Amino acid sequence: MHPIQSMLGSIMERKVHLLTTFFFAFGSFFLAQAVLFDAAVPFLLPVWALAVMRYPKYLIPAFVGGMSGSLFLGLGQALLFVLQLVLFNLVIRHAFTRKSVQLTVAGTIIATQVFWQLIMYAGQPPLTVQVAIGFEALLALVMTVFLFIAFPQVDKLLYSPWRAEQLGAACIIAAMATTGMDRMMIGLVSVPGALLYMAILIAAVSGGVLFSTTIAMMIAAITGMAELSFTGMMTVYGMTGFAAGSMKGFGKLGVATGGLFASVFFLMYDLTLPLDQTHFVTIGVATVLFFLIPSRRLASVSDVLQPERQDLSEKRQQWLARRLDEQLTDFQQFASFMSTMVNDQFPAQETHHRARTEELPLACRSCFRYTKCWESNDDSMPALLSEWESTYSATKKAARHRVEEKIRYKCVRHNGLIEELEERGADRLLMGQLQHGRKMLALQLRDMSTHLENMMKEIKEDVTIYHPSEEELGSCLRAQDIEFFQIDILSEEKGSMRIVCSIPERRSSFETDTTVAERLILPILEEMYEEPFQVEKALARERPFAHLQLTFTSAVRFSMQYGVVATAGGGSMYAGDAYEVFPIHDGLTAVLLSDGMGQDLNAYYESQKVIRLMRECLDRKMGPETAMHTLHYMMALNGLDDMYATLDLALVDLQDGRLWSWKAGSMSTYIKRGDEFLRMDSKAVPFGFLPSFTVEAKNEDLKSGDIIVMMTDGIFNGDIPLEQQERALCQTLERHSGLDCEALADRVMAEMERKFKTTADDRTVLVMKVDHIVPSWSSVKMRTPSLFRQKVVG
């Protein structure tokens, strides 16, 4: 069974190609046999013109089918068709003839027929032949118009909604094709008659009385031109369409009954009409086939004729509901993250603090009467201290004063003991207030998340209009007359945009696969999203039909390499410095450098904690300034542990070429650019150092070849003037700028150690190099450039 399944799968993948081949082969076969007015054969060349202009891959099926059909009319007719095809291919190469294919088809038929008839009649064709030539050229022109309306490019044919005029043109073409089937009989059933009658029933159930009557009269007129003796049946067909359309309200059964009533009525009214046994068997078979067509297929035809105008389709509602759910999920995760961070971030420290509060007072442990007060069976001192702690926060101070008098009577070092108790009480009260603040913030975030969830549920219920980004981009492309049939926006995050656009295959030999993308689509994307784009790849697809699949991504104009060297100062095994470099997206890189206070393990933990929390904040899409203030608040919750940490946050924008810097007590950032030496600094204090905290962002444009240096304070010697050390740093960068980043960072650290003896503190040097990325493509904008375009290119 596996080979059979493989064959069926291959057929389903190529069904569009196979159906198009079938259409050209059999369509040209029957249209080549269509004879109108018993003299004109005008329909093969229009089919050939359609294949040449819009479906060049199907010229062979069109030629084989057309020649096979014309041979049934005689060898002379086949030879005449060959002359028409050859002449058409010769003249259609010129730009003038391609502007109006319909006139070219008519002119080709006239020229070929005149040449042929002059030979056949020795230069004097009769008037009837001349009139027939004119009729054939006129019918070919009309047929070409209908073909080009009914069958646009294959991508539009499959993915664009059908219009009413397009459906009407297809019906006329089908009726003309049936005129070439007049000899096809299956027993008593006329194949063209069954198809025409079924078309009238479908028109009745889809479009009502007006549409069915129009289709019936067009079918009758076309069939009457092919067979002049058929003109008496035009009334029968017209009444069939009218009666069937009038019964549309009763469904399929009513339509079929109305169509049969017209034939029965004329059978009783006019015995001269050819309403014989073949006619009734044919309409019976057509009626059965009509009932076998699924109603949903008929509904699609009805939607083309009478489209339902809705402000918001069900599919768009589902898309919007998913987007709202995603946004709500992101906010709930953010609220959970913030609640965890402010509520449960320091359980170990709180436990340590509680242990400290339960220790014996220092005044008692250093007293000579410690054993008598605390190790004897007399429990008066612990009871007095417990009573004092219970009365410390009371509104009335009389109870605490009475307890203090008892302590003075009992303790010989009562002044120091009471001062220590007051300090511990104030510490305990402050930590309680901080804990209350953290709990309050966590509850507020939880309530905000609940309110937002309820609000989004109401929005999903009441929403009426939403335009996805694909529709907005499609409107921009249509406004510039750019052909496309599908747009998929895979990522809409700034800096990592990813858009897939499918367009028709290239029309001319001088075009490349990315001509339309680079010259037309790229400027539209750059104006719409205000960031540079590039063509990542262009693939030629053959399934379900031949087309180009273009992938656009955000263009990163700069590349960045970095190197880090870090050492512990004073011979210690632990360094208080920590760093991390990570991409937020392809066009934005974050650089974090932190210096914990001290040179022990606690300093290392503090700097690592700052780095980790800052990365979590940035990953949760928190603004850098908000993240800096949040981390300061968290470090302030350390209580009285006297642990601080600096932070140097740099965001390197690789799209626009810009460096953003936020500092909290960190060293300056230096940029070496040719002969220039720039410095970016800030006066903000380290995290948790003061109750208040302010931070401001500094930014600097980057250029190709810039060297960026970030460092901790251990690199410089505090006893030597800063200008002298900066001058040495600049000289080192200039002298060794050709080294890679890590080697350059190692050279900077070695030179600063050698010249200024900076070995007492932890030291970290982070060096970055920025260079241009030169793409293999070039975007040329044909219209007036926008300000953004000038900024990016310039």
Side-chain angles (χ1 to χ4, degrees):
M1 295 298 294
H2 183 69
I4 298 177
Q5 293 177 353
S6 300
M7 182 179 65
L8 293 177
S10 177
I11 292 175
M12 292 304 295
E13 288 180 354
R14 297 178 58 84
K15 60 182 180 180
V16 174
H17 173 71
L18 295 176
L19 289 175
T20 309
T21 303
F22 175 84
F23 164 76
F24 275 101
F26 286 89
S28 59
F29 176 81
F30 290 113
L31 287 173
Q33 302 181 58
V35 181
L36 300 184
F37 301 111
D38 292 333
V41 189
F43 296 148
L44 178 59
L45 188 58
V47 177
W48 180 261
L50 177 66
V52 169
M53 298 302 297
R54 291 184 176 175
Y55 301 87
K57 294 184 178 181
Y58 302 97
L59 289 174
I60 294 178
F63 181 79
V64 173
M67 289 298 102
S68 301
S70 62
L71 287 175
F72 282 91
L73 300 179
L75 185 60
Q77 187 63 48
L79 181 58
L80 182 61
F81 279 149
V82 171
L83 293 176
Q84 291 177 357
L85 300 183
V86 171
L87 179 60
F88 179 81
N89 285 347
L90 291 176
V91 301
I92 201 62
R93 297 178 181 178
H94 304 285
F96 177 76
T97 55
R98 295 174 70 93
K99 291 182 179 179
S100 179
V101 182
Q102 295 82 1
L103 295 178
T104 303
V105 169
T108 302
I109 289 179
I110 292 175
T112 308
Q113 283 285 11
V114 169
F115 173 76
W116 182 268
Q117 299 303 333
L118 287 175
I119 295 176
M120 295 297 296
Y121 290 95
Q124 294 182 351
L127 180 61
T128 56
V129 174
Q130 299 178 25
V131 173
I133 293 174
F135 276 125
E136 184 171 337
L138 180 61
L139 291 172
L141 187 147
V142 175
M143 183 64 171
T144 306
V145 173
F146 287 149
L147 281 172
F148 275 73
I149 291 176
F151 300 101
Q153 298 289 344
V154 64
D155 51 345
K156 294 182 179 179
L157 184 66
L158 295 178
Y159 291 96
S160 298
W162 277 54
R163 306 183 305 274
E165 58 271 18
Q166 187 177 358
L167 186 60
C171 293
I172 294 174
I173 295 169
M176 291 180 177
T178 58
T179 59
M181 305 178 185
D182 57 344
R183 300 181 184 88
M184 293 186 62
M185 296 287 296
I186 301 178
L188 296 176
V189 179
S190 171
V191 174
L195 294 177
L196 294 175
Y197 189 81
M198 190 165 57
I200 295 175
L201 297 182
I202 293 175
V205 77
S206 302
V209 61
L210 181 60
F211 186 66
S212 61
T213 304
T214 304
I215 294 297
M217 293 305 298
M218 285 193 305
I219 291 174
I222 293 172
T223 310
M225 288 188 292
E227 187 178 352
L228 297 178
S229 60
F230 186 81
T231 53
M233 292 290 291
M234 295 179 64
T235 306
V236 179
Y237 270 75
M239 285 300 298
T240 300
F242 177 79
S246 301
M247 302 294 288
K248 176 188 175 182
F250 297 95
K252 285 186 176 181
L253 183 60
V255 169
T257 303
L260 180 62
F261 170 78
S263 296
V264 173
F265 173 78
F266 278 98
L267 175 65
M268 298 174 60
Y269 175 75
D270 190 352
L271 299 177
T272 62
L273 296 175
L275 301 177
D276 52 6
Q277 184 179 4
T278 300
H279 174 78
F280 284 98
V281 172
T282 299
I283 65 175
V285 172
T287 303
V288 173
L289 294 176
F290 169 70
F291 279 110
L292 293 178
I293 299 176
S295 299
R296 56 187 179 89
R297 298 293 183 185
L298 298 176
S300 61
V301 181
S302 180
D303 291 339
V304 175
L305 300 174
Q306 300 175 352
E308 296 182 2
R309 302 189 179 275
Q310 298 180 352
D311 292 335
L312 190 63
S313 65
E314 182 179 358
K315 183 177 181 180
R316 188 176 297 175
Q317 288 179 345
Q318 294 174 355
W319 181 88
L320 178 57
R322 288 195 302 269
R323 288 291 298 164
L324 290 177
D325 289 337
E326 291 172 1
Q327 296 294 333
L328 178 60
T329 301
D330 291 341
F331 181 81
Q332 289 176 338
Q333 291 178 353
F334 174 77
S336 177
F337 162 72
M338 287 295 297
S339 299
T340 303
M341 187 171 66
V342 303
N343 192 37
D344 301 320
Q345 192 66 41
F346 306 105
Q349 293 179 359
E350 290 174 0
T351 303
H352 177 65
H353 177 76
R354 286 194 298 269
R356 287 178 56 198
T357 59
E358 294 172 359
E359 291 177 355
L360 294 178
L362 182 61
C364 293
R365 284 182 292 173
S366 60
C367 181
F368 66 96
R369 298 186 61 183
Y370 170 81
T371 303
K372 182 177 180 180
C373 294
W374 290 91
E375 294 183 0
S376 64
N377 294 329
D378 187 7
D379 197 29
S380 59
M381 183 58 70
L384 286 175
L385 295 184
S386 176
E387 183 179 359
W388 186 94
E389 291 178 355
S390 63
T391 60
Y392 176 76
S393 58
T395 304
K396 297 180 179 181
K397 306 300 181 180
R400 191 182 70 180
H401 291 163
R402 286 194 297 268
V403 177
E404 290 178 353
E405 289 295 329
K406 294 180 182 180
I407 293 175
R408 291 188 179 94
Y409 177 79
K410 178 74 176 177
C411 181
V412 296
R413 304 178 63 179
H414 55 83
N415 291 330
L417 176 61
I418 293 176
E419 290 178 358
E420 185 175 352
L421 290 177
E422 289 179 348
E423 181 180 351
R424 290 173 58 179
D427 184 13
R428 185 169 60 253
L429 182 61
L430 177 61
M431 292 304 298
Q433 293 174 349
L434 290 176
Q435 181 68 16
H436 171 72
R438 291 187 294 176
K439 289 286 186 181
M440 180 179 64
L441 180 57
L443 293 175
Q444 288 175 347
L445 287 173
R446 187 186 306 170
D447 293 341
M448 187 182 299
S449 176
T450 303
H451 293 320
L452 184 61
E453 181 178 6
N454 297 333
M455 182 179 66
M456 285 192 173
K457 287 181 179 179
E458 295 177 359
I459 292 176
K460 287 195 294 185
E461 294 174 355
D462 300 335
V463 68
T464 56
I465 291 180
Y466 189 82
H467 297 286
S469 300
E470 288 86 351
E471 292 187 7
E472 296 180 7
L473 180 56
S475 300
C476 295
L477 295 180
R478 281 189 290 269
Q480 299 296 328
D481 294 329
I482 300 175
E483 295 184 2
F484 72 96
F485 59 89
Q486 186 174 357
I487 296 175
D488 297 303
I489 299 181
L490 305 182
S491 173
E492 209 170 5
E493 182 180 359
K494 186 174 180 60
S496 58
M497 296 286 299
R498 191 174 185 84
I499 301 174
V500 179
C501 182
S502 299
I503 66 174
E505 58 183 344
R506 56 182 183 175
R507 304 291 191 221
S508 304
S509 58
F510 64 84
E511 293 183 4
T512 64
D513 289 343
T514 57
T515 300
V516 176
E518 293 178 356
R519 293 182 177 270
L520 300 177
I521 300 181
L522 274 182
I524 293 177
L525 293 177
E526 292 174 355
E527 287 185 0
M528 181 174 178
Y529 292 102
E530 296 185 350
E531 64 175 285
F533 276 81
Q534 65 180 355
V535 182
E536 184 182 60
K537 58 183 176 180
L539 300 178
R541 299 291 190 184
E542 296 295 333
R543 299 175 183 175
F545 54 86
H547 66 279
L548 291 178
Q549 188 179 83
L550 304 172
T551 302
F552 301 91
T553 58
S554 297
V556 179
R557 301 192 299 124
F558 292 90
S559 64
M560 188 192 80
Q561 295 90 31
Y562 73 94
V564 183
V565 175
T567 60
S572 173
M573 296 183 60
Y574 300 102
D577 298 348
Y579 71 91
E580 189 163 358
V581 180
F582 61 95
I584 297 178
H585 53 71
D586 292 340
L588 188 64
T589 300
V591 183
L592 301 175
L593 182 60
S594 178
D595 182 7
M597 295 301 163
Q599 300 174 2
D600 55 2
L601 191 60
N602 291 330
Y604 173 75
Y605 285 153
E606 287 297 315
S607 60
Q608 283 289 346
K609 179 176 63 178
V610 169
I611 293 290
R612 178 175 56 83
L613 292 179
M614 176 57 70
R615 177 159 187 174
E616 289 184 6
C617 291
L618 295 178
D619 288 340
R620 300 293 179 181
K621 299 180 180 180
M622 184 185 294
E625 186 173 357
T626 304
M628 298 285 282
H629 282 280
T630 303
L631 287 185
H632 172 72
Y633 173 74
M634 293 308 307
M635 297 298 293
L637 295 185
N638 285 334
L640 303 178
D641 288 344
D642 196 27
M643 293 298 296
Y644 314 116
T646 67
L647 179 66
D648 195 349
L649 167 61
L651 295 181
V652 184
D653 189 343
L654 298 177
Q655 286 184 298
D656 293 336
R658 182 171 290 273
L659 174 66
W660 297 85
S661 178
W662 291 265
K663 296 179 179 294
S666 57
M667 289 290 294
S668 301
T669 297
Y670 297 94
I671 302 176
K672 184 68 173 69
R673 177 184 302 156
D675 296 334
E676 296 183 82
F677 191 60
L678 309 177
R679 181 176 65 187
M680 302 174 65
D681 51 16
S682 174
K683 297 181 180 179
V685 298
F687 287 140
F689 188 73
L690 294 176
S692 61
F693 179 78
T694 59
V695 63
E696 59 181 358
K698 300 292 183 65
N699 68 90
E700 182 68 33
D701 289 333
L702 297 178
K703 295 183 180 180
S704 181
D706 283 356
I707 301 175
I708 306 170
V709 180
M710 298 171 60
M711 62 183 70
T712 57
D713 57 359
I715 295 295
F716 286 167
N717 191 332
D719 298 331
I720 300 176
L722 179 63
E723 292 78 7
Q724 180 180 349
Q725 300 182 73
E726 288 181 343
R727 193 161 43 249
L729 175 62
C730 178
Q731 293 173 355
T732 303
L733 294 175
E734 185 174 2
R735 187 181 308 115
H736 303 285
S737 59
L739 299 176
D740 60 55
C741 294
E742 190 164 353
L744 182 56
D746 185 66
R747 180 65 63 179
V748 168
M749 180 171 289
E751 288 293 323
M752 300 303 288
E753 288 180 1
R754 183 180 63 84
K755 292 182 178 180
F756 305 108
K757 310 300 181 182
T758 57
T759 59
D761 197 2
D762 302 328
R763 291 149 293 151
T764 300
V765 178
L766 194 152
V767 176
M768 295 171 281
K769 286 187 175 182
V770 177
D771 293 297
H772 266 311
I773 295 177
V774 180
S776 59
W777 51 271
S778 177
S779 175
V780 180
K781 189 168 184 180
M782 307 304 294
R783 299 165 300 178
T784 302
S786 64
L787 293 177
F788 176 77
R789 182 67 179 176
Q790 291 175 351
K791 182 180 72 172
V792 171
V793 176

